[in-house]
Amino acid sequence: MTEDRYDVVIVGSGPGGGTMAWRLAQTGKRVLLVERGDYLKRERENWSTEEVFAKGRYQVDETWVLSNGDRFKPGLHYFVGGNSKVYGAVLFRLRTEDFDDVRHPDGIAPEWPIKYDEFEPYYQAAEELFEVRGARGEDPTEPPARKGYKHEAIRHEPRIQQLSDDWAREGLHPFHLPMGALLDQDETGAATPHSPLLRCDPFDGYPSLTNGKSDSQVICVDPALRDHPNLTLLKNAYVERLVTNEAGTSVVGVETVIEGRTHTIRGDIVVVACGSLSSALLFLRSGNDRHPDGLANGSGQVGRNYMRHNNATVLAISKDPNPTEFQKTLGLNDFYHGHAKSPRNPFEYPLGHIQMVGKSDGTQIEAEGLPGFLQWLPEKPFDWIARHSIDFWVTSEDLPKPENRIFYRNGQVHLDLTQTNMEGHHALREMLRTICSKGGIHPHLMDRKLYLGKDTPISGTAHQAGTLRFGPDPARDVLDLDCRAHGIDNLYVTDASFFPSIGAVNPTLTIIANALRVADRIVERL
């Protein structure tokens, strides 16, 4: 390190931190981006199902404790680009209704203190920055947008197009997923000779060996480092705690462990974007006399109100073979809202969202160990199953509860998590099972438990949000409306920690849009 003081120090290089670094680098100010890990190595194993899924090659080597006492390895990835190195790159705007309170069987998902209209220009900018491929007007739940997508949607391959057509004939509204996938298509939909992304199976949940995914490293960090010498990237550096002044009103030091030694870095403004779980842990580790329960924790809510969606990855069997190479192109939101706004939903409460995921292969299916499935087809080999598989990601909203939280106990990370709103989730799975028969698919759904890594409970760390909720009231909120910590003038947060509710679509585009929104506030200060 050549300096120990910067205008801005950003902790974490995922979508929230990387986007912030990209934007602030343009100001000419001295900006330091601190990343706990290194660059993810480009190697053959990037595309190995055995290494990525069965062995969890790129997951962190940590053990956390669940509320029932079980220990597990969290599905986190410490690399330049953060978890976006292995994300599925589906980049949705929250629906307009998601910013209002939404009633579910288990309670109400609270409204946001600012509404969709304030986020809309930042959503537009986020879609353009992350090179989203999509098609406006197909999804009946999509919110208003000022412009179309910069790039055409990634085209369905024949079996997925057939499924889309079959569902459309049933009166459903399948649509092309908005994808941060850098696929340049020719007139047939095939990858052009110089396309960064190929049409191939290893995408969803895998690192991109060809840098064909719109992740934070590829889109934000590397271009900003190339174009702006005032931006510095510090890798393999663990931020242990944030130090405040004596009054506790400003962060004056970022204590960072580099090669086993602790260095104090100073920044006039500090932005935390470690991911919802790790950011809350940093706030808790940083307690002092003025903040005895953790930074900005006068409300007692730091680490609480954790959300992660009710997610399931399921495998169904197509009656005809499914030779699709890039499967993640189709979505369905006909059950997203309650019946009044989603007439195909027979229930008065929302069910959620359905999308394709990366296609299973025989190695994955064998590693899953699906005894119920193998009883159904006892003579079928794993590769036969894979050739006929169609794979879905099913997402429904969970509710922010104070008792759902991350915290330390005796130096060990604990994650207390009680599932909420599972009634809607089970109903959504049943809707998917029912409509599968309308698309030439056997009406049986089998869970893919290894998606996102070995032994990772998807309900534990996927789509993490909500641990540092934003709002106007320091007595109940951790951050103010600008995502600045209540009572700490120069501390901001730009990951999904700030979410007061999570909707039922992938959260990454909202993280990026909010980072651009908060960056505008910081630019004004600079």
Side-chain angles (χ1 to χ4, degrees), residues 197-249:
L197 180 67
L198 311 176
R199 277 194 178 270
C200 58
D201 292 339
F203 178 84
D204 196 5
Y206 296 84
S208 176
L209 182 58
T210 62
N211 284 338
K213 186 181 295 189
S214 295
D215 63 49
S216 178
Q217 174 218 320
V218 169
I219 295 295
C220 294
V221 177
D222 287 355
L225 289 169
R226 177 194 65 211
D227 297 339
H228 302 285
N230 54 300
L231 173 65
T232 301
L233 172 63
L234 177 61
K235 301 175 296 180
N236 298 307
Y238 170 62
V239 175
E240 193 164 50
R241 63 193 302 268
L242 305 176
V243 180
T244 69
N245 59 6
E246 188 174 346
T249 57

Side-chain angles (χ1 to χ4, degrees), residues 183-187 190-198 210:
L183 178 66
D184 296 334
Q185 306 169 99
D186 64 17
E187 63 277 2
T192 63
H194 302 289
S195 173
L197 180 67
L198 311 176
T210 62

